[in-house]
Amino acid sequence: MSDHPTLPHQKPSIYNLTEKDLTVWLTEQGEKPFRATQIWKWLYAKRVNSFSEMSDLGLSTRDLLDNHFSLSSMEEDTLQRSKDGTIKCLFKLADGNLIETVLMEHSYGLSICVTTQIGCNIGCTFCASGLLTKKRDLTAGEIVEQVCYMQKKLDLEPAKKRISHIVIMGIGEPFDNYDNVLRFIRIVNHPKGLAIGARHITVSTSGLEGKIKAFAHEGLQVNLALSLHAANNALRTRIMKLNKAIPIEKLMEAVDYYLDQTNRRITFEYILLKDVNDLESCAFDLANLILARNRLHLIHVNLIPYNPVHEFDHYKRSEPKAIHRFISTLRAQGINAVVRGEHGTDIDAACGQLRSKQLKARAAIRPVTVGIHP
Ligand code: SAH
Ligand code: SF4
């Protein structure tokens, strides 16, 4: 609870608490610990909007909760629906900051892409999020609420669809907000929480090597994606500032460590930028880097067609011919590679297109663009 950026007049979000936190808090308040299970059922299974709806709790317990916690620390500002079923929601947080969340339909279910920070300090040259320096981390509760809010929205529709997958790939670097992101994962994954299977959750990092190693010890079956984008230092440093501090050798040491410790698959994400990193020699660099890991079955490549960011004219999307050559080169080396599909391009919700014109206009800050991955 301590990391909640509450304004003086605000109560902390109840979604920030794990079941254990809530049990401890209730006990401290002289309440029965099992009330935590009841409360979680109301929050995550019945998905109520007020404490007064928690009808199997006594009035005094409901008042106690109401006096200490908030059930919503953000409000919907704008909602857009794409022709392909993608929904993008702009939320206004309690402190006035704006964030975006995207819901995407797939053949295998519904996935949600959540934001983890306001802005990003990593500064990748192809991503407009990197133009915004980080204002602050989101709390776990604010990340959980993005999922709960969208699920409540779906509950009101006749089809009553359920969000089955989560990608932590919205604005921000999740491993730069490690503790809150881990808390978020444990809450949504908990069988009494939203019960979203760990294998249905993917976290994407630009490559904070220390955190990749730490993540190997969390005992989670969550998928890890690494935004690699170039397989030699000169090129990677050119497109991702972070590579200066954490060069590829150091990053690969963390990847090897992660693979050794978990024996779990890792996905290398690779944005294809025309004539920058889509040359055949780049595909060979990538293939060699992967082959050197000696665990071909555990490393998959997701090629991402670059989505032009209006403010940048230094990059262009690779030609289909170049994409084909790149993937064929990888596959010829026995590497598992796919080109990622796109969602919500008509509402600027696709990979790298997520931007809020409202953000730009109202907050007078530079626009935000993030990668949205199915
Ligand atoms: N910060 C994390 C997660 C958010 S970015 C990370 O970098 O991994 C999610 C993905 O979107 C990253 O792989 C990122 O490289 C990609 N992305 C950013 N801008 C993009 C653009 N304009 N076109 C396509 N993908 C983009
Ligand atoms: Fe930050 Fe990821 Fe964008 Fe890089 S790609 S600036 S790490 S959000």
Side-chain angles (χ1 to χ4, degrees):
M1 273 194 287
S2 54
D3 55 351
H4 197 278
T6 43
L7 301 173
H9 59 279
Q10 261 180 275
K11 292 175 274 185
S13 164
I14 193 155
Y15 294 101
N16 211 36
L17 272 63
T18 61
E19 204 212 10
K20 203 169 150 209
D21 293 336
L22 188 56
T23 309
V24 169
W25 185 83
L26 286 164
T27 314
E28 282 167 7
Q29 304 296 316
E31 293 281 337
K32 297 272 184 292
F34 67 80
R35 297 268 178 241
T37 304
Q38 285 173 290
I39 295 165
W40 260 43
K41 206 178 217 165
W42 287 109
L43 294 177
Y44 297 109
K46 300 194 175 150
R47 299 188 276 274
V48 293
N49 291 313
S50 70
F51 292 112
S52 58
E53 290 168 70
M54 301 184 172
S55 55
D56 58 359
L57 300 180
L59 265 183
S60 62
T61 309
R62 287 186 243 169
D63 283 348
L64 182 72
L65 292 171
D66 203 18
N67 289 335
H68 286 86
F69 298 109
S70 136
L71 260 177
S72 93
S73 62
M74 56 177 74
E75 58 185 50
E76 179 180 317
D77 188 286
T78 318
L79 192 97
Q80 283 175 278
R81 282 172 198 267
S82 140
K83 284 182 216 121
D84 66 14
T86 302
I87 300 176
K88 183 175 77 166
C89 189
L90 179 70
F91 290 108
K92 189 170 181 181
L93 304 180
D95 62 2
N97 278 304
L98 296 165
I99 58 161
E100 285 182 323
T101 306
V102 178
L103 201 60
M104 292 160 286
E105 296 226 25
H106 306 276
S107 52
Y108 53 80
L110 266 182
S111 79
I112 188 167
C113 178
V114 293
T115 286
T116 54
Q117 295 182 315
I118 303 186
C120 182
N121 276 345
I122 304 295
C124 304
T125 55
F126 45 79
C127 172
S129 295
L131 287 174
L132 289 165
T133 47
K134 183 182 86 174
K135 275 198 183 172
R136 70 166 171 90
D137 291 328
L138 292 197
T139 63
E142 285 169 327
I143 314 174
V144 173
E145 277 191 46
Q146 294 173 52
V147 185
C148 287
Y149 187 93
M150 295 305 248
Q151 183 58 61
K152 285 180 190 177
K153 202 115 204 142
L154 293 166
D155 292 342
L156 297 174
E157 295 184 354
K160 302 225 177 302
K161 289 184 191 154
R162 186 175 171 268
I163 296 170
S164 55
H165 290 69
I166 297 180
V167 290
I168 309 175
M169 297 187 184
I171 301 164
E173 167 47 52
F175 281 179
D176 182 41
N177 185 14
Y178 189 83
D179 292 346
N180 292 346
V181 167
L182 262 287
R183 173 181 280 257
F184 157 74
I185 292 173
R186 295 194 197 282
I187 292 172
V188 291
N189 174 235
H190 197 290
K192 291 182 201 159
L194 289 169
I196 295 178
R199 288 189 169 83
H200 287 190
I201 301 174
T202 302
V203 60
S204 173
T205 178
S206 54
L208 303 187
E209 117 279 12
K211 293 299 184 332
I212 293 175
K213 288 183 180 170
F215 195 63
H217 293 289
E218 297 292 348
L220 289 164
Q221 306 285 305
V222 167
N223 305 306
L224 181 63
L226 171 67
S227 291
L228 190 63
H229 309 317
N232 71 68
N233 280 322
L235 190 54
R236 194 164 190 265
T237 303
R238 192 174 132 202
I239 62 179
M240 294 174 79
K241 274 196 304 204
L242 175 75
N243 198 67
K244 227 180 208 162
I246 308 173
I248 292 175
E249 297 71 35
K250 214 166 168 187
L251 187 55
M252 288 305 121
E253 192 199 305
V255 166
D256 291 341
Y257 183 85
Y258 179 85
L259 295 174
D260 284 344
Q261 295 294 317
T262 64
N263 208 32
R264 288 189 53 74
R265 202 170 100 176
I266 183 163
T267 301
F268 286 179
E269 297 164 282
Y270 196 103
I271 295 182
L272 287 165
L273 306 165
K274 184 175 187 233
D275 298 332
V276 175
N277 67 352
D278 66 350
L279 313 176
E280 200 174 18
S281 60
C282 300
F284 276 115
D285 283 348
L286 179 57
N288 288 337
L289 194 70
I290 294 172
L291 292 170
R293 315 271 67 78
N294 280 324
R295 270 161 297 199
L296 218 46
H297 62 295
L298 288 181
I299 301 177
H300 286 213
V301 176
N302 255 353
L303 298 173
I304 310 166
Y306 170 65
N307 283 309
V309 175
H310 301 311
E311 288 71 17
F312 302 155
D313 54 10
H314 48 289
Y315 295 130
K316 295 202 164 39
R317 176 180 280 225
S318 296
E319 302 289 344
K321 224 168 76 188
I323 298 178
H324 184 256
R325 183 184 56 199
F326 201 95
I327 199 163
S328 304
T329 306
L330 294 178
R331 285 181 177 162
Q333 306 284 321
I335 291 162
N336 228 304
V338 293
V339 179
R340 180 169 287 158
E342 294 171 273
H343 294 260
T345 37
D346 56 329
I347 55 165
D348 284 352
C351 209
Q353 277 193 321
L354 184 54
R355 69 178 52 248
S356 41
K357 291 176 183 127
Q358 294 90 339
L359 254 180
K360 192 182 174 191
R362 293 182 214 167
I365 52 176
R366 281 180 284 183
V368 174
T369 302
V370 299
I372 293 300
H373 292 172

